[in-house]
């Protein structure tokens, strides 16, 4: 992965800078038609837990990314996001963890995610469209909200996998309700660059995640255990984008149940723009980390105004 420019923070777009159209195309759906595939106990080999796969229909070999959903959420709430990323040439695997309204430690989900990763070599080719092959030497791991904690925990070795992850993405990751009440395992050390992961990392945060929706619900992404601290503890190369005017669940599909989305502060803008922004940054990062194509990521870093939503702050560390 080629190093980007060494600038640390870019909150404003470059005045008068022209960005080639190709560099902004990641924020639009890709050219590939995609298919969503539900895989459960009826498949052979059977996955350890149900998974949703979104993959290109066109024959070819594609990198793979696993996306781990957030607390009390379903994997299909992210289908628009997954379809956008897959349409740019990626196979996305989204496990469905067990749903419980009672918060507990993350050990069960970490172990389940590791088992899904181990299922991929035999299981994934058996359910993909004809002619579509996974390139498991290029495997990324991503997670939203509590799923971000799950993903980082797995990447840090809290469960073992047969495969090696090449890139890591945290989508508004959350590690508990506060600094003194971290989710188990406690992975945040509050020391800069303390995460011992030898891979590129992307953290996307939300500007409204720290705010309460109302007096009845706490913030969905509390200070000290959210995206800012996750990024602070990453080692280079690492990238950080915050969707300033959007909230913790605004990347979900519009038909996600209101009784779930109502607990988090949300933005007033179009949720479709939020999904395109998050998906586009993911595509740009995955292209750089897995495909060694840095142009899209460098373009967004150079001029964040090319994104559909306001990105502030935008930071990266490459050394």
């Amino acid at each position: 992965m080629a190093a980007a420019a060494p600038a640390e923070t870019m909150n404003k777009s470059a005045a008068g800078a022209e960005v080639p159209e190709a560099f902004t195309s990641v924020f639009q759906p890709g050219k590939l038609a995609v298919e969503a595939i539900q895989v459960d106990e009826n498949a052979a080999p059977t996955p350890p837990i149900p998974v949703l796969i979104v993959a290109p229909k066109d024959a070819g070999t594609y990198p793979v990314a696993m996306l781990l959903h957030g607390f009390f959420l379903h994997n299909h709430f992210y289908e628009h996001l997954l379809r956008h990323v897959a349409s740019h040439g990626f196979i996305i695997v989204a496990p469905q963890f067990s749903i419980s309204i009672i918060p507990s430690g993350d050990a069960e989900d970490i172990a389940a995610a590791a088992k899904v990763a181990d299922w991929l070599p035999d299981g994934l080719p058996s359910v993909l469209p004809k002619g579509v092959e996974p390139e498991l030497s290029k495997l990324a791991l991503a997670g939203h909200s509590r799923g971000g904690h799950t993903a980082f925990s797995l990447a840090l070795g809290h469960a073992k996998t047969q495969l090696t992850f090449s890139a890591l993405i945290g989508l508004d990751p959350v590690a508990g309700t506060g600094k003194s009440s971290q989710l188990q395992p406690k992975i945040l050390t509050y020391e800069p660059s303390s995460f011992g992961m030898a891979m590129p990392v992307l953290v996307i945060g939300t500007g409204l995640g720290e705010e309460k929706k109302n007096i009845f619900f706490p913030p969905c992404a509390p200070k000290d255990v959210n995206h800012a601290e996750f990024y602070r503890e990453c080692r280079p190369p690492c990238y950080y984008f915050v969707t300033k005017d959007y909230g913790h669940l605004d990347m979900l599909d519009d038909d996600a149940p209101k009784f779930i989305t109502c607990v988090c502060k949300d933005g007033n803008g179009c949720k479709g723009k939020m999904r395109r922004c998050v998906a586009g940054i993911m595509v740009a990062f995955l292209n750089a980390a897995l495909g060694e194509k840095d142009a899209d990521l460098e373009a967004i870093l150079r001029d964040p105004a090319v994104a559909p939503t306001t990105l502030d702050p935008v930071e990266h560390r490459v050394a």
Side-chain angles (χ1 to χ4, degrees):
M1 182 174 178
E8 287 293 318
T9 304
M10 302 181 202
N11 290 340
K12 298 180 180 179
S13 63
E18 292 187 4
V19 179
E21 183 178 353
F23 291 170
T24 63
S25 64
V26 293
F27 296 113
Q28 301 297 329
K31 297 179 180 179
L32 297 173
V34 302
E35 179 178 352
I37 307 161
Q38 291 281 358
V39 186
D40 53 25
E41 67 274 3
N42 296 317
T46 304
I49 56 177
V51 297
L52 170 64
I53 296 169
V54 182
K57 293 181 179 180
D58 294 10
T61 301
Y62 303 98
V64 179
M66 284 177 55
L67 175 71
L68 313 182
H69 65 76
F71 175 69
F72 206 66
L73 299 176
H74 288 274
N75 52 11
H76 62 84
F77 295 169
Y78 301 84
E79 188 166 333
H80 281 90
L81 184 76
L82 303 184
R83 284 180 173 274
H84 186 127
V85 176
S87 72
H88 284 270
F90 298 94
I91 297 168
I92 313 298
V93 180
Q96 180 59 59
F97 300 122
S98 60
I99 299 294
S100 172
I101 198 170
I102 302 174
S104 60
D106 207 12
E108 182 177 337
D109 288 354
I110 297 168
K115 291 178 180 178
V116 171
D118 289 343
W119 171 83
L120 295 177
D122 294 327
L124 186 55
S126 70
V127 298
L128 290 173
K130 184 178 180 179
V132 174
E133 300 290 340
E135 190 171 4
L136 291 173
S137 62
K138 296 180 178 181
L139 176 62
L141 180 61
H144 170 234
S145 188
R146 171 171 162 160
H149 176 271
T150 310
F152 272 73
S153 298
L154 181 56
L156 287 167
H158 288 274
K160 301 299 181 184
T161 61
Q162 298 172 11
L163 299 176
T164 300
F165 295 106
S166 301
L168 177 62
I169 299 173
L171 303 179
D172 219 21
V174 178
T177 57
K179 189 172 183 178
S180 61
S181 51
Q182 273 197 65
L183 185 65
Q184 294 288 345
K186 296 181 179 180
I187 62 172
L188 297 180
T189 66
Y190 300 96
E191 295 292 334
S193 303
S194 57
F195 285 151
M197 298 172 296
M199 68 182 83
V201 184
L202 166 67
V203 178
I204 301 177
T206 61
L208 304 181
E210 291 185 5
E211 297 185 19
K212 294 182 179 181
K213 172 75 172 184
N214 51 47
I215 61 172
F216 302 105
F217 298 109
C220 287
K223 185 179 179 180
D224 296 328
V225 288
N226 66 12
H227 54 89
E229 186 59 32
F230 273 83
Y231 173 69
R232 181 173 175 265
E233 299 193 21
C234 290
R235 294 179 180 177
C238 51
Y239 302 84
Y240 181 48
F241 301 85
V242 177
T243 54
K244 181 181 178 181
D245 302 319
Y246 285 88
H248 186 63
L249 299 182
D250 285 346
M251 68 188 73
L252 302 183
D253 290 357
D254 289 338
D255 59 359
K258 298 301 181 185
F259 77 89
I260 292 176
T261 58
C262 73
V263 303
C264 296
K265 177 76 171 179
D266 57 344
N268 295 323
C270 172
K271 304 301 190 292
K273 288 185 177 182
M274 171 63 167
R275 287 190 294 269
R276 288 195 295 111
C277 184
V278 172
I281 295 171
M282 290 176 66
V283 170
F285 172 76
L286 291 172
N287 281 338
L290 303 181
E292 298 182 355
K293 299 176 182 178
D294 293 355
D296 296 306
L297 184 59
E298 289 178 351
I300 302 169
L301 290 169
R302 184 168 60 249
D303 185 3
V306 301
T309 70
T310 300
L311 297 174
D312 185 7
V314 171
E315 301 180 17
H316 68 294
R317 304 195 305 274
V318 295

